[in-house]
Amino acid sequence: MSLDALLAGLDPPVTSQADETEWVWDIYLYLAIGVAAFIAVLVLYVIIRFRRRDGDELPPQKQYNVPVELAYTIIPLLIIGALFAITVVTVQAIEEIDDDPDLVVEVTAAQWQWQFDYPDSGVSVIGSGEEFPELVLPANSSVTFELQSLDVIHSFWITAFRFKRDIIPGSPGRFSVDIEDVAGYYPNAGVCAEYCGLAHGTMRFEVRILETDEFADWIAQQQAEGSQG
Amino acid sequence: MTALDPDRSAEPLGGVDHDQLVSVDDVLAGGDDGGDDGSGGDEHGGHDEGLPKTITGWLTTTDHKALGIAYAITSLIFLAIGGSLAGVIRAELAEPGEQFVSEQLYNGVFTIHGSVMVYLFAVPFGFALANYLVPLQIGAPDLAFPRLNAFSYWLYVFGGLIMLLGFAADGGAAAFGWFAYPPLSGAGASPGLGADMWIVAIILTGTSGTLTAINVIATITMLRAPGMTLFRMPIMTWNLLVTSFMVLLAFPVLSGALFMLQLDRLFGFRFYDPTDGGSPILWQHLFWFFGHPEVYIVALPFFGVVTEIFPVFARRPVFGYKGLVLATLTIGALSTSVWAHHMFVTGEVLVVFFALTSALIAVPTGVKVFNWIGSMWGGSISFEAPMKFSIGFLVTFVAGGVTGVILASPTLDYHLSDSYFVVAHFHYVMGGTVIFALFAAIYFWWPKVTGKKLSERLATWQFWLLMIGFNTTFFFMHFLGRDGMPRRVPDYAPVDNFELWNRIASFGYLILVASVVPFVIAIVKSFRAPVTEGADPWEANSLEWATSSPPPEHNFDWLPPIRSERPVFDLRWINHDEVGNPDVAEAWVDREGIADNWRPLAAELAGDPPTTTEGDQP
């Protein structure tokens, strides 16, 4: 992927849903480049081939060419139809909600901080003034996020998921992902993507994906700290 | 290379002496007064400019040309203001961390940057084109409601001033983004007068736009010259007609939504307040029901501009005229059913439906692109400034169009929405294309408005600086967005390539600023130059070129027969009915005895059929 070499800042996809997005992205991207290049070449050809020369007469004044016009209506229509089909299939897969996930995380957004609650274990993570909160997730497991906002609209974007969802006050939302075997630390992956006022730019979080057993240890540790504090 | 040696033997027109074609100037010089075609005829004889001469005259004018010029100048001033605000953004983002402005000021700056560019620059410049060109292109003396037109203009000016004065208000200008999502734009999250001033400003400019749309529609439906059927209207006029219908559909919705927001803010209504049964999503539906047609309201007049220019400089008719009209109507219709693609990530809309309509709109826009190329295909293209900028428009538009197809897929939009990818996309489709087409329009119609041409050499400098500066500024934002940089942040994670792309973008902004310099010099030089151009300096097609430059107060002392969408072209070739519309020669002969200043344009016309290629100069 030579193109993605330009994108070194982007974390690799970590969910099976993100994998779906990635191959759709590849199709759209290369098609977009192809179409743009085709038209650029066409324009270049036209301005070289048909540039005015000494002694030019009035060119032919033919105004319609119905077969050509139909072709450049129908061919794009077919391309759009194919792209739409790909989108429908993948978007439905991405939007599928897992009602019985391995883990539920409640995400609460407020100006300008995140809170992550793990209702099964009573663990809660809140960012502090100086430090971004860390969203810790288990590898190889399904997770459903339940989103709510306490004030204005925020948007929960994890770039490694290739997914975001607005968090609209008064209207809780949720989505599910299947995290793959991708344990690692993703310090730039968590972003509030909907403009939410003064400190919107600093409303970020870090993502850490742990192996399943490490995750259990982490939960236990948090519970211990919580009961102490 | 055979490409350099085109075979033109198939042409029927070999050997036409260019000097023997009929020119508008000769016809205009021939008769001192006339007015034989029913419209625009008055006692003006010659070259009365028809523009106000005094300050009071300008302040009270109801003339469509004066108001068109006023709209253009005002919107260009707002472009300069919006562009300067962009400079603050690029300065702040040139490096990570916060350097120049506070968060509060930064948020106000990008809010007003977007609002100025969309509401006070791009749409009003379209109205400048509508004001100046619609009556001229359809052979009318003015818009249907001249005083309403003046009222629209002043509403717009005061609306714009009120928005900018927000910076002086206690608490600063509105800082909730140009789409003002509640609850952030509510009284709780955004107290302060600046926000109220923003709302009032948009209601005023929106009302101004609605009134102008009514005016344009009335003018085009009621004041077309005899012979100017709908399918003989220039594409520019068609596009402004469709634009006006979209304005009528979209702007009142925005004004209504803003009234509701203001009621929420001032009087404790709860339309959008989620804590008390209101719905923030309702605002998004209403706003984007305006907001997406708005994108085409901005774009269509500029599509019209280049559709006028390509045929003139390629010496071809516009290719697929009727298909182009159909494509414009299709865009207008589809544009009312794509709004929720701005709301894919809310999870509260039927994404599949809006993905389909949004993707479909690529088809008529693609048709337009191919029609533009088709208009050049087989032509004899010269590259004067309007043509350069139109080709710049074309490639910029295609680059923005293909990323639009990407964003129309919710699968991909879930990642790209609200990122710099979107910023790049809409600056290509609404920024770059508008700027290129705007300068194409200025260079193209400047001789009509002033009787002078702008410097070609300076135009070439401007074009290349603009082309390089624009792409340097905005292209790498695609990478930033895909990489995960969100919009509307004064700071970003110090990831290596975030810094690199941002620095390149900020450098590109400096080139963009530099591109303004040759333009300003060209304008200044033009003001000092004498009037040199006749009625039809580009050998163009539509009716505005059938009157003197600048046009007299009531536009036309005389109109050529209108038998196709190219009346001036038909007149030029009136003695060659295998080229122009053959009915034109007949219509000309029919005027004998009716028109005081009638005279044969060719000896042959009086009796014999035009078999030779000799043209007679009146």
Side-chain angles (χ1 to χ4, degrees), chain B residues 24-25 28 36-40 64-65 132-141 223-229 232-237 308 312 444-445 448 534-537 539-552 554-572 584 588 591:
Chain B
V24 173
D25 285 320
L28 290 179
D36 54 280
D37 218 355
S39 176
H64 76 98
K65 295 184 294 296
Y132 199 91
L133 292 174
V134 162
L136 284 168
Q137 288 201 326
I138 62 173
L223 295 185
R224 278 171 288 132
M228 180 60 78
T229 62
R232 291 176 190 164
M233 294 196 312
I235 293 288
M236 179 82 214
T237 297
E308 296 297 297
V312 170
F444 187 56
W445 280 294
K448 177 50 62 185
D536 183 21
E539 298 194 350
N541 299 327
S542 43
L543 271 188
E544 74 267 32
W545 307 103
T547 187
S548 54
S549 307
H554 287 290
N555 294 348
F556 297 98
D557 296 329
W558 165 91
L559 281 171
I562 302 160
R563 292 297 179 274
S564 76
E565 86 277 9
R566 296 193 290 170
V568 173
F569 177 90
D570 289 337
L571 176 72
R572 189 177 307 125
V584 172
W588 190 270
R591 289 183 177 185

Side-chain angles (χ1 to χ4, degrees), chain B residues 16 37 53 99 137 166 183 238 264 283 287 374 376 444 489 529:
Chain B
V16 172
D37 218 355
K53 306 277 187 295
Q99 292 90 25
Q137 288 201 326
W238 260 112
D264 272 16
W283 166 267
F287 182 84
M376 293 188 278
F444 187 56
V489 292

Side-chain angles (χ1 to χ4, degrees), chain A residues 12-39:
Chain A
V14 297
T15 64
S16 58
Q17 286 81 0
D19 290 339
E20 295 273 319
T21 306
E22 286 301 273
W23 74 261
V24 177
W25 164 257
D26 284 346
I27 292 172
Y28 271 77
L29 178 65
Y30 288 109
L31 201 66
I33 293 171
V35 168
F38 171 70
I39 293 175

Side-chain angles (χ1 to χ4, degrees), chain B residues 460-546:
Chain B
T460 306
W461 274 102
Q462 187 201 355
F463 171 77
W464 285 110
L465 285 170
L466 183 62
M467 187 51 113
I468 294 165
F470 178 81
N471 285 294
T472 311
T473 308
F474 293 106
F475 184 76
F476 300 99
M477 290 184 187
H478 293 111
F479 298 163
L480 277 173
R482 162 80 179 156
D483 265 7
M485 178 159 161
R487 293 169 74 170
R488 301 175 158 177
V489 292
D491 188 12
Y492 46 89
V495 181
D496 282 345
N497 52 4
F498 276 26
E499 291 184 70
L500 176 65
W501 302 139
N502 271 304
R503 202 164 299 163
I504 292 174
S506 294
F507 176 68
Y509 175 82
L510 297 177
I511 307 176
L512 270 182
V513 172
S515 78
V516 179
V517 176
F519 176 69
V520 173
I521 298 174
I523 298 289
V524 173
K525 279 175 73 172
S526 168
F527 279 133
R528 293 170 168 193
V531 172
T532 53
E533 302 303 323
D536 183 21
W538 306 113
E539 298 194 350
N541 299 327
S542 43
L543 271 188
E544 74 267 32
W545 307 103

Side-chain angles (χ1 to χ4, degrees), chain B residues 368-391:
Chain B
K368 280 175 177 277
V369 168
F370 288 112
N371 277 346
W372 291 325
I373 295 173
S375 301
M376 293 188 278
W377 193 273
S380 168
I381 306 171
S382 66
F383 297 96
E384 282 93 345
M387 192 61 167
K388 282 196 195 83
F389 283 94
S390 294
I391 291 169

